[in-house]
């Protein structure tokens, strides 16, 4: 299959390893990966902060780039960015009264998937041949869980990883407190939520806390780092991309 | 308070004080509440318990999703036909010997109730827990008029005796623990037994003795209503303790204050809501007491029956897409119990009798947002948009979507004024992100972050507004190479 990578602004700028791991994984599974040039961001930050007018050009740009590129399906290693494409782009376009854009947004959304959805639902694999000999706990991010309903697809994928010691995260479904600009606008509340999330992570003494969203991992990882906890954050894509030949360290 | 030339500026002269709106912004109020470890422990314990109970009883119903759909559809129908249904209710209620009063706002409702009480000659009323009467500040109003309003719901009683404010729709004293309750009883209740401990049974017995006297002497009761049924003119109250049943049956006069959105079209619709409500609110299959009354029965129960139909911002809300959706709310409080923000900050941080996710929508809807300094404008942002509230809501109110819409309105209302920090940042980010060249250029700027990060590759202090991030979190240093730069390097054939 010809799969387009949606790097996401955060993935591109701050977490290129996550996007590269996605490319590595899909290539290993025998697919052709393309990177639609000119892509930037999905505009979710603008939408969620209430700047819908400012979101419009960002959404338009995304829809144009992904309408014009040549691919079968698009994938992003981010539940929340795919959530935005699927549930917000058409809304932003509709609100601006742009029917043509709305239709194109719906079309792009219909073939854009989050990584675990793509693997399990579209490509029909749960065992991707990964090897990752570490103790891992998984945080199912809110947008993957509730906007996309990915359910336990990430866990199905992780369970099939050779050598992994997968431990259940207590109160896994509680929000980590990131919420985009929420972490800045309500920094105190966000920090309190983070403290509880980290408490739950540390309770199961993992080497690694994983998730399907680099943004939530940046948040959780930032807290773990501040505490000097020694627990690292590694994106789902990186674990799935890891093999005996090409390991991804716990760091 | 802000000052201008030394003169303190009253920010919200146009926004009167009301039990429905707060006087400080959510982040400010939350900061204070978060500093109270007892509160956080009480809340975490209580919400976790009720979440688990709710999940268990909801899980028992194979048709839960279908029930939610029905609930949502019935409510949509009610909103679409509200004037007609209200008239139908009025006719049926009147035909069965009740009197209907219409109140446009809190003041009018308070005056109507006061006059009704005065006409009976009573100077004390017993009350059933009711959000509508809290919303209009009835107890305080009656007190000013020399009428004592005695709350009979245990939690409301605790709040009332503690000179406190409720902090939860269903469990108003959720922020209090047993020891605190014991102390309140000892100092505020008359006739408390020597050596009262904080054993729940002892506390309940003390309240029971206290209330029994009131039930037997009171001639007037004031209630709210969970549902009003249009075709039969029936009112319905669901409760757990039986105090409500006492209030609804013992006194001669019963006055019910009900928000106009609480109607259901037909008696049969109760079937859906009596399954949805108890499960969502207390995590019970059915609440212990469900009282229904349709008019006056000579010689049995209250002989003088009144209902005050309260608008108080509801028709305004009804005219609006967000408001209409929010009016579907049946005040079950499930959204509060699953909300991670509510769990940390508690109800008082929201400044309104309606706290939590639904409060963040309802409060600005019912009382407006007047500029970004208005505390109401901070409420739609009091959510990480995690979506737990939407999943829990028995009538499927899409609270996160409504919050985003309210955020958008608050942003749009401020356009054209002095741009604040957020406006400038969002506009700049939009400009950058809608063009690949500008985006690439901005990414180059990130390299500065590598210098700031230094050798340990992490950033631990940032200037405002980003300082909120670094108060509890590090930021990783930007990588040496962006993904797109790596791609360009590894796929040179694609460079046109
Ligand atoms: S919004 Fe929904 S969940 Fe929240 S109190 Fe109302 S009915 Fe219950």
């Amino acid at each position: 299959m010809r799969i387009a990578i949606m790097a996401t602004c955060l993935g591109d700028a701050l977490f290129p390893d996550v996007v590269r791991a996605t490319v590595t994984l899909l290539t290993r599974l025998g697919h052709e990966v393309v990177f639609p040039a000119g892509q930037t961001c999905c505009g979710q930050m603008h939408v969620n902060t209430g700047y819908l007018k400012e979101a419009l050009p960002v959404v338009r740009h995304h829809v144009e780039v992904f309408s014009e590129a040549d691919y079968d399906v698009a994938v992003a290693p981010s539940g929340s960015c795919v959530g935005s494409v699927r549930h917000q782009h058409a809304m932003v376009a509709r609100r601006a009264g742009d029917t043509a854009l709305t239709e194109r947004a719906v079309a792009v959304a219909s073939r854009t998937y989050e990584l675990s959805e793509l693997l399990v639902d579209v490509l029909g694999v749960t065992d991707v041949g990964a090897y990752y000999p570490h103790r891992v706990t998984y945080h199912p991010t809110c947008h993957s869980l509730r906007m996309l309903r990915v359910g336990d697809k990430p866990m199905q994928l992780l369970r099939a990883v050779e050598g992994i010691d997968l431990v259940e995260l207590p109160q896994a479904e509680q929000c980590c407190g990131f919420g985009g600009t929420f972490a800045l606008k309500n920094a105190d509340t966000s920090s309190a939520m983070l403290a509880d999330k980290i408490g739950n992570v540390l309770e199961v003494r993992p080497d690694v806390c994983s998730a399907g969203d680099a943004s939530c991992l940046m948040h959780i990882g930032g807290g773990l780092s501040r505490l000097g906890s020694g627990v690292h954050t590694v994106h789902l894509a990186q674990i799935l991309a890891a093999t005996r030949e090409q390991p991804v360290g716990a760091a | 308070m802000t000052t201008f030339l030394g003169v303190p500026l009253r920010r919200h002269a146009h926004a009167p004080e009301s039990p429905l709106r707060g006087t400080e912004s959510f982040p400010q109020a939350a900061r204070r509440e978060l500093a109270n470890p007892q509160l956080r422990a009480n809340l975490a314990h209580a919400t976790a318990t009720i979440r688990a109970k709710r999940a268990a009883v909801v899980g028992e119903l194979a048709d839960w999703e279908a029930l939610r759909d029905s609930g949502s559809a019935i409510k949509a129908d009610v909103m679409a036909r509200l004037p007609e249904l209200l008239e139908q209710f009025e006719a049926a209620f009147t035909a069965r010997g009740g009197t209907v009063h219409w109140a446009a706002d809190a003041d009018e409702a308070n005056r109507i109730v006061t006059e009704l009480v005065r006409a009976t000659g009573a100077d004390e009323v017993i009350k059933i827990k009711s959000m509508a009467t809290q919303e209009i500040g009835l107890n305080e109003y009656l007190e000013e008029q020399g009428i004592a309003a005695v709350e009979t719901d245990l939690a409301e009683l605790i709040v009332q005796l503690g000179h406190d404010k409720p902090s939860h729709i269903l469990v108003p004293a959720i922020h209090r623990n047993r020891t605190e309750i014991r102390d309140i009883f000892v100092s505020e209740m008359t006739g408390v037994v020597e050596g009262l401990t904080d054993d729940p049974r002892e506390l309940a017995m003390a309240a029971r003795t206290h209330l029994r006297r009131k039930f037997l002497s009171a001639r007037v009761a004031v209630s709210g209503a969970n549902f009003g049924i249009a075709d039969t003119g029936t009112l319905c109250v669901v409760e757990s303790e039986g105090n409500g049943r006492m209030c609804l049956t013992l006194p001669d006069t019963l006055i019910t204050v009900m928000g106009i959105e609480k109607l259901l079209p037909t008696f049969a619709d109760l079937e859906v809501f009596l399954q949805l409500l108890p499960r969502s609110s207390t995590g019970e299959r059915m609440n212990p007491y469900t009282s229904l009354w349709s008019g006056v029965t000579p010689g049995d129960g209250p002989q003088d029956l009144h209902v005050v139909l309260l608008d108080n911002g509801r028709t305004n809300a009804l005219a609006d897409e967000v408001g209409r959706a929010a009016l579907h709310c049946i005040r079950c409080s499930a959204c509060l119990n699953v909300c991670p923000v509510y769990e940390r900050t508690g109800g008082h941080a929201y400044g309104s009798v309606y706290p939590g996710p639904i409060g963040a929508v309802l409060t600005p809807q019912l009382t407006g947002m007047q500029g970004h300094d208005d505390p109401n404008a901070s409420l739609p942002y009091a959510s990480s948009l995690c979506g737990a509230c939407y999943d829990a809501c028995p009538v499927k109110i899409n609270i996160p979507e409504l919050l985003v819409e309210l955020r958008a309105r608050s942003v749009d209302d401020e356009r054209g004024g002095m741009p604040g920090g957020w406006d400038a940042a969002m506009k700049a980010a939009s400009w950058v992100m809608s063009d690949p060249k500008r985006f690439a250029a901005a990414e180059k700027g990130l390299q500065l972050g590598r210098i700031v990060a230094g050798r340990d590759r992490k950033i631990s202090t940032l200037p405002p507004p980003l300082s909120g991030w670094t108060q509890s979190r590090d930021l990783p240093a930007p990588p040496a190479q962006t993904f797109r730069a790596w791609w360009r390097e590894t796929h040179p054939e694609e460079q046109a």
Side-chain angles (χ1 to χ4, degrees), chain B residues 169 277 280 326 328-336 357-358 389 392-397 399:
Chain B
I169 292 177
L277 180 58
S280 305
H328 288 200
C329 174
I330 58 172
R331 313 281 190 264
C332 72
S333 72
C335 58
L336 276 64
I358 189 62
C389 49
C393 179
V395 287
K396 286 199 162 173
I397 301 175
I399 298 174

mmCIF file of all heavy atoms in Angstrom, chain B residues 169 277 280 326 328-336 357-358 389 392-397 399, ligand 1:
data_model
loop_
_atom_site.group_PDB
_atom_site.id
_atom_site.type_symbol
_atom_site.label_atom_id
_atom_site.label_comp_id
_atom_site.label_asym_id
_atom_site.label_seq_id
_atom_site.Cartn_x
_atom_site.Cartn_y
_atom_site.Cartn_z
ATOM 1 N N ILE B 169 -23.360 18.919 42.412
ATOM 2 C CA ILE B 169 -24.791 18.972 42.136
ATOM 3 C C ILE B 169 -25.550 17.964 42.996
ATOM 4 O O ILE B 169 -26.594 18.252 43.551
ATOM 5 C CB ILE B 169 -25.058 18.696 40.637
ATOM 6 C CG1 ILE B 169 -24.515 19.852 39.785
ATOM 7 C CG2 ILE B 169 -26.542 18.511 40.376
ATOM 8 C CD1 ILE B 169 -24.661 19.657 38.294
ATOM 9 N N LEU B 277 -31.304 8.195 35.078
ATOM 10 C CA LEU B 277 -30.897 9.113 36.142
ATOM 11 C C LEU B 277 -30.232 8.455 37.350
ATOM 12 O O LEU B 277 -29.104 8.813 37.693
ATOM 13 C CB LEU B 277 -32.085 10.006 36.549
ATOM 14 C CG LEU B 277 -31.815 11.032 37.654
ATOM 15 C CD1 LEU B 277 -30.679 11.973 37.273
ATOM 16 C CD2 LEU B 277 -33.062 11.843 37.956
ATOM 17 N N SER B 280 -26.827 6.991 36.544
ATOM 18 C CA SER B 280 -25.802 7.994 36.246
ATOM 19 C C SER B 280 -25.405 8.799 37.466
ATOM 20 O O SER B 280 -24.272 9.241 37.581
ATOM 21 C CB SER B 280 -26.302 8.972 35.183
ATOM 22 O OG SER B 280 -26.709 8.273 34.042
ATOM 23 N N ALA B 326 -27.283 22.319 26.065
ATOM 24 C CA ALA B 326 -26.995 22.286 27.498
ATOM 25 C C ALA B 326 -28.273 22.096 28.312
ATOM 26 O O ALA B 326 -28.250 21.527 29.403
ATOM 27 C CB ALA B 326 -26.284 23.562 27.918
ATOM 28 N N HIS B 328 -30.541 20.112 27.814
ATOM 29 C CA HIS B 328 -30.919 18.696 27.909
ATOM 30 C C HIS B 328 -30.545 18.108 29.264
ATOM 31 O O HIS B 328 -31.016 17.052 29.647
ATOM 32 C CB HIS B 328 -30.200 17.874 26.840
ATOM 33 C CG HIS B 328 -30.705 18.102 25.457
ATOM 34 N ND1 HIS B 328 -30.493 17.223 24.431
ATOM 35 C CD2 HIS B 328 -31.420 19.117 24.922
ATOM 36 C CE1 HIS B 328 -31.045 17.682 23.326
ATOM 37 N NE2 HIS B 328 -31.615 18.841 23.594
ATOM 38 N N CYS B 329 -29.662 18.786 29.957
ATOM 39 C CA CYS B 329 -29.071 18.256 31.196
ATOM 40 C C CYS B 329 -30.123 17.885 32.231
ATOM 41 O O CYS B 329 -31.019 18.662 32.519
ATOM 42 C CB CYS B 329 -28.112 19.296 31.774
ATOM 43 S SG CYS B 329 -27.455 18.835 33.376
ATOM 44 N N ILE B 330 -29.999 16.688 32.788
ATOM 45 C CA ILE B 330 -30.930 16.261 33.842
ATOM 46 C C ILE B 330 -30.262 16.314 35.222
ATOM 47 O O ILE B 330 -30.750 15.722 36.177
ATOM 48 C CB ILE B 330 -31.510 14.853 33.566
ATOM 49 C CG1 ILE B 330 -30.395 13.804 33.427
ATOM 50 C CG2 ILE B 330 -32.383 14.871 32.326
ATOM 51 C CD1 ILE B 330 -30.912 12.367 33.346
ATOM 52 N N ARG B 331 -29.145 17.020 35.317
ATOM 53 C CA ARG B 331 -28.464 17.267 36.603
ATOM 54 C C ARG B 331 -28.130 15.977 37.348
ATOM 55 O O ARG B 331 -28.336 15.878 38.556
ATOM 56 C CB ARG B 331 -29.346 18.128 37.524
ATOM 57 C CG ARG B 331 -29.961 19.344 36.884
ATOM 58 C CD ARG B 331 -28.995 20.489 36.752
ATOM 59 N NE ARG B 331 -29.696 21.706 36.354
ATOM 60 C CZ ARG B 331 -29.796 22.142 35.096
ATOM 61 N NH1 ARG B 331 -29.206 21.490 34.111
ATOM 62 N NH2 ARG B 331 -30.449 23.246 34.824
ATOM 63 N N CYS B 332 -27.609 15.012 36.611
ATOM 64 C CA CYS B 332 -27.290 13.745 37.258
ATOM 65 C C CYS B 332 -25.917 13.799 37.920
ATOM 66 O O CYS B 332 -25.602 13.023 38.801
ATOM 67 C CB CYS B 332 -27.320 12.617 36.236
ATOM 68 S SG CYS B 332 -25.927 12.661 35.110
ATOM 69 N N SER B 333 -25.077 14.709 37.430
ATOM 70 C CA SER B 333 -23.716 14.935 37.933
ATOM 71 C C SER B 333 -22.699 13.885 37.514
ATOM 72 O O SER B 333 -21.577 13.886 37.995
ATOM 73 C CB SER B 333 -23.685 15.137 39.450
ATOM 74 O OG SER B 333 -23.925 13.931 40.117
ATOM 75 N N ALA B 334 -23.063 13.013 36.596
ATOM 76 C CA ALA B 334 -22.086 12.017 36.123
ATOM 77 C C ALA B 334 -20.860 12.702 35.519
ATOM 78 O O ALA B 334 -19.729 12.241 35.682
ATOM 79 C CB ALA B 334 -22.730 11.097 35.095
ATOM 80 N N CYS B 335 -21.087 13.810 34.822
ATOM 81 C CA CYS B 335 -19.949 14.483 34.176
ATOM 82 C C CYS B 335 -18.974 15.046 35.209
ATOM 83 O O CYS B 335 -17.770 15.095 34.976
ATOM 84 C CB CYS B 335 -20.431 15.566 33.206
ATOM 85 S SG CYS B 335 -21.451 16.855 33.933
ATOM 86 N N LEU B 336 -19.507 15.458 36.363
ATOM 87 C CA LEU B 336 -18.606 15.961 37.414
ATOM 88 C C LEU B 336 -17.726 14.822 37.936
ATOM 89 O O LEU B 336 -16.527 14.991 38.135
ATOM 90 C CB LEU B 336 -19.413 16.501 38.605
ATOM 91 C CG LEU B 336 -19.962 17.926 38.579
ATOM 92 C CD1 LEU B 336 -20.988 18.093 37.474
ATOM 93 C CD2 LEU B 336 -20.595 18.267 39.920
ATOM 94 N N PRO B 357 -18.044 20.060 34.333
ATOM 95 C CA PRO B 357 -18.131 20.257 32.888
ATOM 96 C C PRO B 357 -19.437 20.930 32.449
ATOM 97 O O PRO B 357 -19.415 21.887 31.675
ATOM 98 C CB PRO B 357 -18.046 18.838 32.330
ATOM 99 C CG PRO B 357 -17.292 18.075 33.368
ATOM 100 C CD PRO B 357 -17.684 18.667 34.674
ATOM 101 N N ILE B 358 -20.561 20.447 32.963
ATOM 102 C CA ILE B 358 -21.824 21.049 32.517
ATOM 103 C C ILE B 358 -21.935 22.474 33.047
ATOM 104 O O ILE B 358 -22.462 23.360 32.376
ATOM 105 C CB ILE B 358 -23.053 20.189 32.909
ATOM 106 C CG1 ILE B 358 -24.324 20.733 32.247
ATOM 107 C CG2 ILE B 358 -23.245 20.124 34.416
ATOM 108 C CD1 ILE B 358 -24.326 20.714 30.732
ATOM 109 N N CYS B 389 -16.569 13.442 30.042
ATOM 110 C CA CYS B 389 -17.922 13.909 30.365
ATOM 111 C C CYS B 389 -18.925 13.488 29.297
ATOM 112 O O CYS B 389 -20.042 13.087 29.603
ATOM 113 C CB CYS B 389 -17.934 15.421 30.548
ATOM 114 S SG CYS B 389 -17.111 16.338 29.232
ATOM 115 N N ALA B 392 -19.884 9.939 29.642
ATOM 116 C CA ALA B 392 -20.671 9.615 30.828
ATOM 117 C C ALA B 392 -22.090 10.152 30.747
ATOM 118 O O ALA B 392 -22.992 9.628 31.395
ATOM 119 C CB ALA B 392 -19.991 10.176 32.075
ATOM 120 N N CYS B 393 -22.298 11.196 29.981
ATOM 121 C CA CYS B 393 -23.590 11.894 30.020
ATOM 122 C C CYS B 393 -24.729 11.011 29.525
ATOM 123 O O CYS B 393 -24.721 10.541 28.400
ATOM 124 C CB CYS B 393 -23.525 13.166 29.181
ATOM 125 S SG CYS B 393 -25.098 14.041 29.179
ATOM 126 N N PRO B 394 -25.745 10.803 30.375
ATOM 127 C CA PRO B 394 -26.840 9.900 30.002
ATOM 128 C C PRO B 394 -27.693 10.442 28.860
ATOM 129 O O PRO B 394 -28.392 9.662 28.219
ATOM 130 C CB PRO B 394 -27.659 9.795 31.290
ATOM 131 C CG PRO B 394 -27.350 11.030 32.050
ATOM 132 C CD PRO B 394 -25.922 11.347 31.734
ATOM 133 N N VAL B 395 -27.649 11.758 28.632
ATOM 134 C CA VAL B 395 -28.439 12.288 27.514
ATOM 135 C C VAL B 395 -27.527 12.771 26.385
ATOM 136 O O VAL B 395 -27.927 13.535 25.509
ATOM 137 C CB VAL B 395 -29.402 13.406 27.967
ATOM 138 C CG1 VAL B 395 -30.554 12.809 28.756
ATOM 139 C CG2 VAL B 395 -28.694 14.469 28.795
ATOM 140 N N LYS B 396 -26.272 12.281 26.417
ATOM 141 C CA LYS B 396 -25.330 12.495 25.316
ATOM 142 C C LYS B 396 -25.071 13.958 24.959
ATOM 143 O O LYS B 396 -25.055 14.310 23.775
ATOM 144 C CB LYS B 396 -25.818 11.763 24.069
ATOM 145 C CG LYS B 396 -25.646 10.265 24.138
ATOM 146 C CD LYS B 396 -25.692 9.670 22.741
ATOM 147 C CE LYS B 396 -25.094 8.289 22.712
ATOM 148 N NZ LYS B 396 -25.263 7.615 21.433
ATOM 149 N N ILE B 397 -24.921 14.792 25.958
ATOM 150 C CA ILE B 397 -24.552 16.175 25.652
ATOM 151 C C ILE B 397 -23.064 16.184 25.292
ATOM 152 O O ILE B 397 -22.237 15.731 26.088
ATOM 153 C CB ILE B 397 -24.827 17.102 26.849
ATOM 154 C CG1 ILE B 397 -26.316 17.043 27.227
ATOM 155 C CG2 ILE B 397 -24.413 18.535 26.526
ATOM 156 C CD1 ILE B 397 -26.667 17.831 28.470
ATOM 157 N N ILE B 399 -20.328 17.774 25.578
ATOM 158 C CA ILE B 399 -19.788 18.907 26.331
ATOM 159 C C ILE B 399 -18.479 19.445 25.734
ATOM 160 O O ILE B 399 -18.333 20.656 25.593
ATOM 161 C CB ILE B 399 -19.648 18.539 27.829
ATOM 162 C CG1 ILE B 399 -21.037 18.222 28.399
ATOM 163 C CG2 ILE B 399 -19.011 19.684 28.617
ATOM 164 C CD1 ILE B 399 -21.038 17.710 29.823
HETATM 165 S S1 LIG C 1 -24.449 17.255 31.482
HETATM 166 FE FE1 LIG C 1 -25.075 15.129 31.342
HETATM 167 S S2 LIG C 1 -23.705 14.090 32.768
HETATM 168 FE FE2 LIG C 1 -23.583 16.244 33.304
HETATM 169 S S3 LIG C 1 -25.108 16.544 34.887
HETATM 170 FE FE3 LIG C 1 -26.114 16.988 32.955
HETATM 171 S S4 LIG C 1 -27.075 15.094 32.314
HETATM 172 FE FE4 LIG C 1 -25.583 14.581 33.884
#
